[in-house]
């Protein structure tokens, strides 16, 4: 246990140090008016999420909540300042789902649904709405089938997170529907990669000898 605790403390120290550096770089980029990709994507957001995961794994839910909430605020600010891209929308859906899941983890069955559970629903439903838009655009662009399958699997993950929230809110019909949709998308994903692994069978034809 002691070495593991030391590992967490060491990880926390280095993540906080990285966060301080990224914040300075982000402030510098904004002052100088940089608009390139590295300046536009706020690296501190990812570091905040890593800190949140570290705290969440150690059941320090209050600390995890602080990190996730700040990550969400900074991600929205980054999109507002630099503009939206599909990559930033994907990251936003991840942050929304994770933050909502963290709220849902704090649900107490003895007390019933609370404000955090309702907030979890709002965040994950927003993530799902963004995912549906991204999936629709991907279908219009006829992306690589493997990329489409991966997007479906990511959408299934959001649906599963939402299912847990609906159960805690005692919205059982909605929970059943989202769970079924998640299963359907996962099956499509698995079938796609199963077909890719199957050896391709070459069609062999036979030619009859010409009549003598």
């Amino acid at each position: 246990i002691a070495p593991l605790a030391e590992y967490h403390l060491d990880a926390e120290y280095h993540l906080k140090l990285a966060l301080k550096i990224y914040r300075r770089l982000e402030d510098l980029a904004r002052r100088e008016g940089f608009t390139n990709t590295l300046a536009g994507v706020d690296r501190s957001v990812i570091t905040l999420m890593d800190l949140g995961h570290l705290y969440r794994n150690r059941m320090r839910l209050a600390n995890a909540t602080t990190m996730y909430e700040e990550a969400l605020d900074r991600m929205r600010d980054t999109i507002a300042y630099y503009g939206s891209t599909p990559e930033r929308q994907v990251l936003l859906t991840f942050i929304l789902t994770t933050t909502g899941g963290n709220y849902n983890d704090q649900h107490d069955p003895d007390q019933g649904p609370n404000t955090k559970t309702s907030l979890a629903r709002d965040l994950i439903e927003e993530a799902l709405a963004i995912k549906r838009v991204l999936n629709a655009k991907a279908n219009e662009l006829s992306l690589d089938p493997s990329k489409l399958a991966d997007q479906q699997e990511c959408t299934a993950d959001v649906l599963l997170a939402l299912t847990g929230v609906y159960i805690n809110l005692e919205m059982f019909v909605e929970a059943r529907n989202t769970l079924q949709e998640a299963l359907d998308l996962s099956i499509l994903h698995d079938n796609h990669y199963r077909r890719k692994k199957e050896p391709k069978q070459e069609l062999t034809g036979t030619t009859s000898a010409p009549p003598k």
Side-chain angles (χ1 to χ4, degrees):
I1 298 176
L4 185 60
E6 291 177 2
Y7 165 79
H8 280 293
L9 288 173
D10 193 44
E12 181 181 6
Y13 169 78
H14 284 95
L15 284 171
K16 285 184 174 180
L17 181 61
L19 181 61
K20 184 182 296 186
I21 294 171
Y22 285 138
R23 281 174 171 167
R24 289 178 179 175
L25 290 174
E26 175 68 12
D27 291 340
L28 176 63
R30 293 197 179 197
R31 286 200 306 270
E32 298 297 328
F34 296 151
T35 58
N36 59 58
T37 303
L38 287 178
V41 177
D42 188 350
R43 301 281 181 164
S44 65
V45 169
I46 300 174
T47 309
L48 284 164
M49 294 300 292
D50 289 338
L51 271 169
H53 297 333
L54 183 70
Y55 292 140
R56 193 176 180 185
N57 289 336
R58 298 192 66 188
M59 296 306 294
R60 293 169 57 180
L61 296 183
N63 295 101
T65 298
T66 300
M67 295 299 103
Y68 290 147
E69 288 177 345
E70 185 175 351
L72 180 57
D73 289 341
R74 289 185 73 86
M75 191 67 240
R76 293 192 192 279
D77 182 58
T78 295
I79 291 174
Y81 188 85
Y82 291 104
S84 179
T85 65
E87 291 78 12
R88 288 172 192 156
Q89 289 295 314
V90 168
L91 181 55
L92 177 60
T93 60
F94 172 69
I95 298 172
L96 287 165
T97 305
T98 304
T99 306
N102 182 62
Y103 286 140
N104 198 45
D105 287 347
Q106 301 173 54
H107 169 78
D108 186 349
D110 295 331
Q111 296 181 359
N114 54 33
T115 305
K116 287 188 176 180
T117 316
S118 298
L119 183 56
R121 173 191 172 185
D122 293 340
L123 293 177
I124 301 179
E125 284 184 343
E126 181 182 352
L128 181 60
I130 295 172
K131 277 290 183 187
R132 294 196 192 284
V133 172
L134 292 174
N135 291 344
K137 289 182 178 179
N139 288 325
E140 290 176 2
L141 295 173
S142 299
L143 295 183
D144 176 74
S146 293
K147 290 184 178 180
L148 291 174
D150 291 341
Q151 286 197 13
Q152 290 172 339
E153 183 70 3
C154 291
T155 305
D157 292 337
V158 177
L159 286 162
L160 287 175
L162 188 56
T163 298
V165 174
Y166 283 154
I167 290 173
N168 287 338
L169 289 172
E170 300 179 1
M171 300 170 60
F172 300 117
V173 174
E174 290 82 354
R176 181 184 61 195
N177 293 337
T178 52
L179 178 59
Q180 185 61 58
E181 186 178 355
L183 291 174
D184 292 341
L185 290 177
S186 293
I187 290 172
L188 289 174
H189 172 270
D190 293 344
N191 287 342
H192 167 75
Y193 281 100
R194 188 178 297 112
R195 286 194 297 270
K196 285 192 67 174
K197 292 180 180 179
E198 292 176 352
K200 294 182 179 180
Q201 296 180 351
E202 295 184 1
L203 296 176
T204 57
T206 58
T207 58
S208 59
K212 294 181 180 180

